[in-house]
Amino acid sequence: MANQYYSTVSDVIKYTGIKYDNLGLSSEGEMETMIEGWLKQVTSLINRDRGRDLLTDLNFGEKKMVDQGVEKWDELIVEGITVKIETDKYEFPKYEDRMAVNLLEISSTVGNNVIIASKLIEEDYRDLSDAKVLMIKVKPYADCDKGDIQLLLSNEVACGNVIKTMDFPEMNDDEWKLCKFYLGTNSELNEIKSIGLKLVDEVGGYFWIADIQKLVLPEGIHNIAMRACSNMVKLAYANRESPVIRIEELDAKLVEDKILTTPLKAELRLYYRKPEFAFNRAEGI
């Protein structure tokens, strides 16, 4: 399930050291439910301040490497598939400093709907649950329609158990393309051991693969949300005779001064606000 808010209930509890009886509540679960609601409200405040939903805006985030693309993909013992390390710089994406990319040689004898290669992901990079988008640079040897080749995510090595299948977009022959796949911060993707390629239809005799990256919400946003929610916990503790505080019950000044404080807003300004206008090009007029 995709996250609906920034930070986590457990982080807020650890940061504040709050106990449910401090708030006049009857159980840990009741406190966790209340803090989760506050995190959603804090998320709304942050989104309003930045003019965008930071979870769903696919242009916002930090890029983190999943695989550098310099180690060879596995061939999966498919007859007619050969995987090589390409070191010819003229085959690399333009204007990028690289050591190598992967080259898949695909024989015309290879059938359709076959997993042709997989890449074992190192342990430190297997958690994709925080990824909004997965990005991979590829270059086909022929024009490809959407879905001619698919990207697979598996929780087993060599794509033994595929848990997510995504279509590559339309691609042009002999042109590098940065392909983006929406993941949506899905908690089920926390242990991806391998990424694979499935040939659905012909893509030509060669297929180049560069690096794989993920787009994630910056840690700074999580930290700001945690501290803003902690401010709500402090307000609740100060008003523990009536602990359930809702943002709509507070006046605007209290929200600004006590929850999303001036220092927190200053930190938020490090993450650019979405412009309120944009230039669009209309063709055929």
Side-chain angles (χ1 to χ4, degrees):
M1 179 179 178
N3 294 334
Q4 297 176 305
Y5 46 82
Y6 315 136
S7 191
T8 65
V9 172
S10 61
D11 282 349
V12 172
I13 293 174
K14 290 177 184 177
Y15 184 75
T16 60
I18 197 70
K19 306 293 184 182
Y20 67 86
D21 53 351
N22 297 146
L23 300 175
L25 301 174
S26 59
S27 69
E28 187 84 12
E30 187 179 358
M31 181 181 69
E32 291 176 354
T33 298
M34 185 170 66
I35 291 176
E36 182 178 16
W38 288 344
L39 280 171
K40 292 177 182 178
Q41 294 172 2
V42 166
T43 295
S44 178
L45 283 177
I46 291 175
N47 289 345
R48 187 170 62 195
D49 183 86
R50 293 296 83 199
R52 66 176 74 215
D53 186 325
L54 304 185
L55 284 173
T56 60
D57 190 326
L58 303 185
N59 294 314
F60 177 85
E62 292 179 347
K63 295 178 181 178
K64 292 190 175 182
M65 191 65 68
V66 176
D67 182 76
Q68 294 184 348
V70 296
E71 295 182 353
K72 196 169 77 167
W73 282 53
D74 297 319
E75 301 167 11
L76 294 182
I77 320 178
V78 176
E79 187 175 351
I81 297 293
T82 303
V83 181
K84 299 179 178 179
I85 293 296
E86 176 70 83
T87 57
D88 183 353
K89 65 179 181 180
Y90 294 104
E91 297 292 355
F92 295 174
K94 290 183 178 180
Y95 315 116
E96 294 186 12
D97 184 18
R98 292 182 177 274
M99 296 175 57
V101 296
N102 270 257
L103 168 61
L104 275 65
E105 296 182 352
I106 307 171
S107 168
S108 59
T109 61
V110 178
N112 295 339
N113 297 308
V114 176
I115 300 177
I116 57 175
S118 74
K119 184 67 176 70
L120 179 67
I121 303 302
E122 295 182 14
E123 288 188 16
D124 291 343
Y125 303 95
R126 290 178 177 177
D127 187 1
L128 300 184
S129 63
D130 59 349
K132 297 197 290 183
V133 174
L134 191 67
M135 301 173 290
I136 178 171
K137 290 180 181 176
V138 298
K139 181 175 73 167
Y141 195 63
D143 289 339
C144 298
D145 292 329
K146 179 181 178 181
D148 281 352
I149 192 165
Q150 295 176 327
L151 189 72
L152 313 177
L153 303 183
S154 173
N155 56 10
E156 296 181 2
V157 298
C159 287
N161 179 48
V162 176
I163 61 175
K164 192 170 183 65
T165 301
M166 299 166 287
D167 289 339
F168 273 88
E170 181 179 326
M171 296 178 285
N172 297 325
D173 69 290
D174 204 31
E175 289 184 8
W176 281 98
K177 186 179 182 71
L178 177 61
C179 301
K180 299 180 179 181
F181 302 91
Y182 178 71
L183 299 184
T185 60
N186 189 336
S187 59
E188 296 179 356
L189 304 179
N190 65 331
E191 184 64 17
I192 299 301
K193 294 183 179 179
S194 62
I195 294 177
L197 294 177
K198 182 178 181 180
L199 186 66
V200 178
D201 205 345
E202 184 176 347
V203 296
Y206 303 95
F207 195 81
W208 288 265
I209 312 167
D211 58 280
I212 304 173
Q213 298 184 59
K214 62 180 180 178
L215 186 72
V216 303
L217 198 69
E219 287 295 327
I221 295 295
H222 288 290
N223 186 270
I224 291 169
M226 178 188 69
R227 286 183 287 151
C229 189
S230 297
N231 289 337
M232 297 188 76
V233 172
K234 294 174 185 177
L235 284 172
Y237 182 72
N239 297 273
R240 55 189 177 276
E241 291 183 0
S242 180
V244 180
I245 298 176
R246 302 180 187 279
I247 283 182
E248 57 267 24
E249 295 172 356
L250 305 175
D251 61 49
K253 188 176 188 306
L254 184 59
V255 170
E256 181 173 350
D257 293 348
K258 301 296 184 181
I259 298 174
L260 199 57
T261 60
T262 299
L264 289 181
K265 283 189 173 182
E267 291 184 40
L268 270 179
R269 285 195 289 272
L270 297 175
Y271 305 97
Y272 64 92
R273 179 181 175 85
K274 187 173 184 178
E276 296 182 357
F277 66 92
F279 294 101
N280 295 308
R281 178 180 177 181
E283 298 183 1
I285 297 178

